[in-house]
Amino acid sequence: MIKAVIFDFDGLILDTETHEYEVLCEIFREHECELPLEVWGKLIGTKSDFNPYTYLEEQAKRKIDHAELKLVEKDRFNKRIQEEKARPGVIEYLDAAKELGLKVGLASSSNYEWVSSHLSRLNLLDRFECIRTSDNVEHVKPDPALYLEAAKCLGVKPEECIAFEDSANGALAAKRAGMKCVTVPNTVTKGLEFCEVDHRVESMAQMQLKELLMFLDKG
């Protein structure tokens, strides 16, 4: 019996990940280098010590002004993301979850300030009964802590939850927590190798939440 749905944030609700990767790729190309997705993809949905500008220095074989490029990246990214809306089907899923009497939570490896500021801009902040971020746990995804804390906050058992994820690290965290997991990859993550999940849709607009629940129940 599913009692709650828990959403990831970056890349799932708001596709920050595609913009971040595309901006970095632009900067790398300007230095006649490339940032392969197989390198960057391992970092999506988690925290890492990987520094793209150190990697760029290694590829370019010369010193790079990290601070200057970080400002360039931030400026280009912010211009892109301010125009971005919620991914297709997200609002419809939130509406459907309310209609079906499901509890709604969010679990993100990003910090609360980042998540809440963008949810507020999208007018979605009050849609979530519980939000758990990197501020609440010692280890982020693929560790299951974020999902376990979100379930605890919602007052449900992990096996009573469906987690919606776009990244391999996020999906692994959800399954480690003992939840059902439905992946909704974005442009950047659709080619990544995922762990075994319960279902995959290319977009939430592809399948209504009620239909998805019935499908998962049969499985």
Side-chain angles (χ1 to χ4, degrees), residues 92-162:
E92 287 79 5
Y93 264 46
L94 290 171
D95 289 340
K98 184 177 181 180
E99 290 172 9
L100 293 167
L102 300 174
K103 295 188 175 184
V104 181
L106 186 147
S108 171
S109 291
S110 295
N111 62 50
Y112 182 79
E113 182 181 0
W114 170 263
V115 173
S116 61
S117 63
H118 284 292
L119 286 176
S120 294
R121 180 178 66 80
L122 296 170
N123 294 315
L124 296 177
L125 185 60
D126 62 353
R127 297 294 198 100
F128 298 91
E129 298 168 51
C130 173
I131 295 175
R132 288 292 177 265
T133 67
S134 60
D135 300 315
N136 302 111
V137 294
E138 187 175 348
H139 301 291
V140 295
K141 305 168 188 176
D143 189 280
L146 277 164
Y147 277 113
L148 292 173
E149 285 297 316
K152 183 180 178 181
C153 174
L154 291 171
V156 295
K157 298 174 183 176
E159 59 268 27
E160 295 172 329
C161 302
I162 297 175

Side-chain angles (χ1 to χ4, degrees), residues 21 29 60-61 66 69 108 120 124 130 134 150 172 177 186 209:
Y21 180 59
R29 285 195 296 271
K61 295 182 172 55
H66 290 214
L69 287 187
S108 171
S120 294
L124 296 177
C130 173
S134 60
L172 186 55
N186 56 52
L209 180 59

Side-chain angles (χ1 to χ4, degrees), residues 2-17:
I2 298 300
K3 296 181 179 178
V5 289
I6 303 177
F7 293 75
D8 173 47
F9 177 69
D10 288 288
L12 181 91
I13 291 177
L14 185 67
D15 193 4
T16 57
E17 290 164 357

Side-chain angles (χ1 to χ4, degrees), residues 14-33:
L14 185 67
D15 193 4
T16 57
E17 290 164 357
T18 296
H19 290 297
E20 182 177 19
Y21 180 59
E22 288 179 348
V23 166
L24 283 170
C25 284
E26 284 177 5
I27 292 171
F28 269 66
R29 285 195 296 271
E30 287 163 8
H31 288 79
E32 300 181 338
C33 296

